[in-house]
Amino acid sequence: MRVRITVAAALSVALSLSLAACGESGDVGSSGDEIVGIAMPTTKSPRWIGDGKNMVDQVKGFGFGATLKYAEDDPQTQVEQVQAMIDDGVDALVIAAVDGRAFKEVLGKAESAKIPVISYDRLLLDTPDVDYYATFDNEQVGQLQADFLVEQLGLVNGTAKGPFNIELFAGSPDDNNTKYFYDGAMKVLDPYIDGGQLVVRSGQTEMNKMTTLRWDGVRAEKRMNELLDSHYETERVDAVLSPYDGISLGIVKALKAHGYGDGGKDLPLITGQDAEIPSIKSIIAGEQTQTVYKDTRELALITSYMVNAVVNGKRPAINDDATYDNGEKVVPAYLLEPVSVDKSNYKKVLIGSDYLKESDLR
């Protein structure tokens, strides 16, 4: 079952468990000899650069050493990096997978070596050898994106009835989160599509028609161009469901190439995720419309509490023990809360929390 508690409360619980793991003296962390292997997917996204830095800082705060590797979106490279970490005798692994299905064999070796494995934001699939999962409420991410669209179109409060044209994008097919984002969004959008208030002129509403390999903005731009050329010669698109900021910016490029945002042809509503600086600048400029903020500092912190607990032979705090079935087991998880951000609240949410600085957005 899933139990919702606040981040502050969760971290209080996690800290108490971490303290208990190290004895009543409160000496959290390690003796300084333990090393955490951290495998991140790519430096092409600002988000993942930040995640890597946050994870290194947080595990060092517990007294652990850290080995950080980026795979540049190559699954085989990442498997080899994880294998090297196992060979080097790391004491725990934190993996944000390029391809969640690529690790079955190598994680069997981690299990044989008694190395605990924590799946970071992207679930490791088809393996029993993953111990815990730290992430955000991924279905809620999709719900926040879709809620924003129907609210801004006026469908919720009845100020508009439509029909409005909408096109739908999904994330990478090899990332388990893609399904949760899609499911969350479609729970909101399906009733409006079925009722005719939202029209997907391309007819592409199934997830496998919408996916964007490696979350790549260039691929998204290409697909958006194709949709506009094929279905919008005499129609306008009013909204685009985009699951990630990098995809959103690719969509914006395609729309602008087709005359949107120029003269009397306004850009459609466009969602996103991760509150990356280029997208916040785009939101301020009136191009991308919304993003979902996930405070990756909190994700790194809760993951580091997990590391500290498992290295010391304790069970970390979790708040979901039913949702994330990876094909071999239900992986105990801790879910953090995402937040919808647009032009009206980015200063309060992002700058007010010191996630970004005003100077970052100049």
Side-chain angles (χ1 to χ4, degrees):
M1 64 180 287
R2 180 185 301 177
V3 179
R4 290 193 181 280
I5 56 178
T6 67
V7 171
L11 296 186
S12 175
V13 171
L15 178 58
S16 68
L17 290 177
S18 296
L19 292 172
C22 298
E24 294 182 0
S25 67
D27 181 21
V28 300
S30 74
S31 63
D33 297 326
E34 291 95 341
I35 302 293
V36 180
I38 303 166
M40 290 283 155
T42 183
T43 59
K44 296 173 185 175
S45 163
R47 179 260 160 100
W48 291 112
I49 295 172
D51 280 77
K53 179 181 184 302
N54 290 337
M55 274 305 309
V56 170
D57 289 346
Q58 292 292 352
V59 298
K60 284 186 175 179
F62 280 97
F64 296 108
T67 297
L68 171 63
K69 298 292 183 182
Y70 285 91
E72 304 306 349
D73 283 330
D74 186 325
Q76 185 56 41
T77 294
Q78 193 170 46
V79 169
E80 291 170 359
Q81 289 171 340
V82 170
Q83 179 64 68
M85 292 175 187
I86 294 169
D87 292 343
D88 288 343
V90 296
D91 296 276
L93 285 165
V94 174
I95 302 173
V98 175
D99 180 347
R101 291 182 170 83
F103 290 87
K104 185 169 185 175
E105 182 178 350
V106 74
L107 292 188
K109 296 176 182 178
E111 172 66 19
S112 297
K114 307 296 185 188
I115 299 171
V117 176
I118 295 171
S119 193
Y120 183 94
D121 204 37
R122 296 176 173 181
L123 186 61
L124 295 161
L125 302 172
D126 300 332
T127 172
D129 301 319
V130 52
D131 297 284
Y132 297 101
Y133 182 32
T135 190
F136 291 83
D137 188 329
N138 295 312
E139 191 167 299
Q140 188 183 6
V141 170
Q143 290 173 347
L144 289 173
Q145 292 166 341
D147 282 340
F148 180 85
L149 293 178
V150 297
E151 288 167 5
Q152 293 297 308
L153 290 170
L155 294 174
V156 174
N157 58 20
T159 59
K161 295 183 179 180
F164 297 103
N165 294 323
I166 187 172
E167 291 298 333
L168 312 172
F169 283 71
S172 191
D174 53 10
D175 185 340
N176 191 62
N177 287 350
T178 293
K179 176 181 181 298
Y180 289 96
F181 300 148
Y182 171 83
D183 286 348
M186 297 312 288
K187 283 180 181 178
V188 175
L189 298 178
D190 271 338
Y192 295 101
I193 295 171
D194 293 343
Q197 294 128 304
L198 291 176
V199 178
V200 184
R201 297 192 66 80
S202 69
Q204 297 177 12
T205 59
E206 299 299 320
M207 193 181 80
N208 63 357
K209 302 289 187 182
M210 300 156 45
T211 54
T212 312
L213 185 63
R214 301 286 183 267
W215 304 87
D216 182 35
V218 174
R219 287 187 172 96
E221 180 183 359
K222 181 176 183 289
R223 177 170 177 253
M224 191 74 227
N225 277 320
E226 292 169 352
L227 294 175
L228 292 167
D229 290 339
S230 300
H231 304 286
Y232 291 92
E233 286 187 4
T234 59
E235 297 279 344
R236 66 161 276 119
V237 60
D238 300 297
V240 182
L241 175 75
S242 169
Y244 161 61
D245 286 349
I247 289 174
S248 309
L249 295 182
I251 291 167
V252 169
K253 285 183 181 179
L255 287 160
K256 291 174 76 172
H258 282 76
Y260 286 83
D262 188 23
K265 197 172 183 180
D266 292 339
L267 283 160
L269 300 168
I270 305 167
T271 61
Q273 179 182 183
D274 282 346
E276 294 185 344
I277 288 173
S279 278
I280 300 304
K281 289 181 177 179
S282 180
I283 288 171
I284 294 168
E287 297 179 342
Q288 185 175 328
T289 324
Q290 180 260 13
T291 188
V292 175
Y293 164 55
K294 304 188 305 186
D295 192 338
T296 53
R297 297 169 301 179
E298 292 178 351
L299 182 60
L301 181 57
I302 200 70
T303 305
S304 297
Y305 280 126
M306 284 183 169
V307 168
N308 190 60
V310 296
V311 168
N312 286 283
K314 302 295 182 180
R315 179 178 172 85
I318 62 167
N319 64 358
D320 187 304
D321 58 6
T323 303
Y324 288 95
D325 187 335
N326 77 347
E328 288 285 342
K329 65 187 285 189
V330 176
V331 183
Y334 189 87
L335 310 185
L336 293 164
E337 296 286 334
V339 178
S340 180
V341 170
D342 57 42
K343 199 169 184 177
S344 71
N345 69 345
Y346 79 90
K347 286 186 178 180
K348 178 180 178 181
V349 175
L350 301 178
I351 296 172
S353 67
D354 292 324
Y355 189 78
L356 297 179
K357 296 179 176 63
E358 287 274 12
S359 59
D360 293 331
L361 303 177
R362 291 179 190 143

